[in-house]
Amino acid sequence: MMIGLPRLGLTRRTRRSMAFGATALAASLALTACGGSSSADSDTGRLKVVASFYPMEFLAQQIGREHVAVTDLTAAGVEPHDLELTAKQVGTVQKADAIVYLKGLQPTVDQAVAQSSSKHKIDATAASPLVDHHLDEGTEDAAHGNEAQGGDGHRHEGPTGDPHIWLDPTRYAAIAKSVGDEFAKADPAHAEDYRKNTDELVTKLTALDQEFRAGLKDTRTRTFVTSHAAFGYLADHYGLTQVAVNGVDPESEPTPARLAAVQKAAKDNGVTTVFFETLVSPKLADTVAKDLGLKTAVLDPLEGVKDPAKDDYLTVMKQNLANLQAALGAPATPAGTAGAAPSTDPATAPATDAATPAATS
């Protein structure tokens, strides 16, 4: 059950904090009532892992495989930025053996993690510190102080940099190594398997990085326009320039001045395409593209995957590469070099707890 709050002129961050307080209390009462027992306790021999959203879930599954039972707090196809946890999810975090999350992206997750007694809390930003890409500049929220400073005009705690570190495969590999190390500490009996699985994943991510380097080496333009400022790390790593209509919040409203700046950058740099993402309405990208006479295409920030049985991090990133090549005027990657499809062998498939309900914001 989602505990709702009336909108009484409170800031979004304040509503999230109040909602978390209510759900945390409900979770505490539920744990007390049942003596702290859980159906998940029947998973003897498997490490109970909580992942905050898809990029963290992918790492946990790839590294843990059959030794872990993974619960993703953000359901497939759900936009993670404004996640609000249910009482059941807060309880799941409190009982987890290990937690894989990205501090600063989802405030209610951060609060639940802080209250958890787990000895294995894996913060992705510890392995790959955030960089400030000025994500909120040029949006209505930034102009009116509704996010960075809050509706009351005072600065509130929040992300101190761009959270989208997983979109740089080399940074993602560094996070993978930290997850593998911590799983080995949490479950020493399977430490060698965790190390082996980590090495295999890092090898795949290194190959992906090489594909991006080769695929984006020769382009007609180095500038791309996107509706969501999620690709700063990717742009930095491969020598591209991201021009974003929106900041870190994909549903914020850009100011007229920001729209004018985007239009000028697009014209000055020969941009042909405005990118939109899969989990947010494409209306804004469509409008900007129509005004400039440009095409639209998908550039997926991989904050969630709609169909995990069909796609994963690697397949979506390779599609992103193909879409960038087309938009930037780069030669297409030859057929057959995009890599093999992920294994569907049940013997190697990761164990996933699919019972946790989706949280909605």
Side-chain angles (χ1 to χ4, degrees):
M1 179 185 70
M2 173 59 63
I3 299 176
L5 291 171
R7 296 179 177 269
L8 302 176
L10 302 174
T11 66
R12 180 164 48 191
R13 188 176 300 279
T14 300
R15 289 195 299 271
R16 285 198 297 257
S17 296
M18 293 176 66
F20 174 80
T23 54
L25 176 60
S28 178
L29 292 174
L31 287 172
T32 301
C34 66
S37 64
S38 167
S39 60
D41 293 340
S42 63
D43 282 327
T44 56
R46 291 198 296 173
L47 196 70
K48 295 190 293 293
V49 179
V50 167
S52 57
F53 70 126
Y54 176 74
M56 304 299 106
E57 178 199 9
F58 180 76
L59 293 181
Q61 289 182 334
Q62 292 291 307
I63 294 168
R65 298 191 186 180
E66 71 275 11
H67 301 309
V68 299
V70 181
T71 299
D72 189 347
L73 297 176
T74 308
V78 174
E79 210 287 324
H81 284 278
D82 289 320
L83 176 70
E84 293 177 2
L85 298 181
T86 65
K88 179 178 180 180
Q89 288 176 310
V90 173
T92 299
V93 174
Q94 292 175 348
K95 294 177 289 182
D97 295 320
I99 305 167
V100 188
Y101 74 114
L102 198 160
K103 187 175 183 180
L105 180 66
Q106 298 167 296
T108 55
V109 172
D110 292 350
Q111 294 175 65
V113 172
Q115 294 186 8
S116 172
S117 60
S118 173
K119 297 179 180 179
H120 304 283
K121 302 175 182 179
I122 310 162
D123 172 18
T125 67
S128 181
L130 303 185
V131 173
D132 185 3
H133 287 129
H134 304 289
L135 301 182
D136 291 317
E137 290 183 358
T139 66
E140 292 288 355
D141 281 343
H144 294 101
N146 292 332
E147 279 302 308
Q149 294 185 326
D152 55 7
H154 295 89
R155 181 166 295 278
H156 298 300
E157 183 179 357
T160 57
D162 180 354
H164 302 89
I165 46 180
W166 62 92
L167 291 171
D168 175 346
T170 61
R171 286 176 173 268
Y172 200 44
I175 300 168
K177 292 176 183 178
S178 71
V179 172
D181 289 344
E182 201 63 30
F183 279 11
K185 294 176 184 177
D187 182 17
H190 300 111
E192 188 58 34
D193 285 345
Y194 295 135
R195 294 189 183 99
K196 177 177 177 289
N197 296 342
T198 300
D199 289 343
E200 290 179 0
L201 179 56
V202 169
T203 297
K204 292 177 182 178
L205 292 173
T206 300
L208 178 66
D209 175 48
Q210 292 171 348
E211 287 184 38
F212 265 82
R213 286 182 180 278
L216 298 174
K217 181 179 179 181
D218 299 312
T219 60
R220 180 183 50 78
T221 179
R222 305 299 290 176
T223 299
F224 65 96
V225 172
T226 178
S227 61
H228 179 197
F231 302 93
Y233 294 102
L234 184 150
D236 287 351
H237 190 60
Y238 299 111
L240 305 176
T241 298
Q242 170 187 241
V243 177
V245 179
N246 275 335
V248 66
D249 181 355
E251 296 181 350
S252 61
E253 293 294 330
T255 64
R258 181 58 186 165
L259 288 174
V262 170
Q263 291 174 346
K264 184 178 187 302
K267 291 179 179 178
D268 290 348
N269 293 281
V271 170
T272 64
T273 306
V274 177
F275 286 112
F276 64 94
E277 62 182 87
T278 54
L279 300 183
V280 177
S281 170
K283 289 182 179 180
L284 180 58
D286 288 341
T287 299
V288 173
K290 184 177 180 181
D291 289 344
L292 293 173
L294 305 179
K295 299 179 293 185
T296 59
V298 172
L299 195 60
D300 196 328
L302 269 160
E303 293 171 347
V305 173
K306 287 188 174 181
D307 188 357
K310 178 182 177 182
D311 291 313
D312 67 8
Y313 175 88
L314 296 169
T315 62
V316 174
M317 282 294 284
K318 290 174 184 183
Q319 187 58 56
N320 279 344
L321 172 57
N323 292 349
L324 277 170
Q325 288 176 306
L328 299 176
T333 300
T337 62
S343 171
T344 56
D345 182 354
T348 60
T352 304
D353 181 359
T356 303
T360 57
S361 55

